[in-house]
Amino acid sequence: MNLQNAQTAMRQEKIDCWLVHDFQKTNPIMRQLLPLQQFVSRRLFLIVPAEGVPMLLGSKIDQDALRSLPYHTEFY
């Protein structure tokens, strides 16, 4: 699964947004969607709109690991 396929399916099913959650690599879907190279110790959220660019929400503690990803990231 990749984000483009997910967004195409979301548009077909009339789903506006998808919130994907992960905590310490326990969600295999998140691992397929995000090319994380480093361990993220806090909860991580990926907000996937049906149209447009996904956004990450992650902890300030993990900001070094998240900055390498190609998405806009907000920190809590």
Side-chain angles (χ1 to χ4, degrees):
M1 171 187 298
N2 64 41
L3 283 170
Q4 288 179 331
N5 292 344
Q7 287 178 308
T8 298
M10 290 168 61
R11 288 190 296 273
Q12 290 172 349
E13 297 297 321
K14 299 185 180 2
I15 298 169
D16 295 326
C17 189
W18 179 26
L19 178 64
V20 185
H21 168 263
D22 189 40
F23 181 59
Q24 297 181 344
K25 294 187 175 187
T26 57
N27 184 345
I29 304 262
M30 181 73 92
R31 290 195 305 266
Q32 290 178 22
L33 296 174
L34 283 180
L36 270 174
Q37 301 301 320
Q38 297 179 12
F39 180 74
V40 175
S41 62
R42 301 295 190 262
R43 296 184 189 281
L44 180 62
F45 302 89
L46 177 65
I47 302 162
V48 182
E51 298 279 345
V53 180
M55 183 179 108
L56 281 170
L57 177 61
S59 172
K60 287 182 182 180
I61 293 170
D62 295 319
Q63 62 185 319
D64 290 337
L66 298 176
R67 285 183 201 256
S68 64
L69 296 173
Y71 306 114
H72 174 74
T73 304
E74 292 288 331
F75 298 103
Y76 61 87

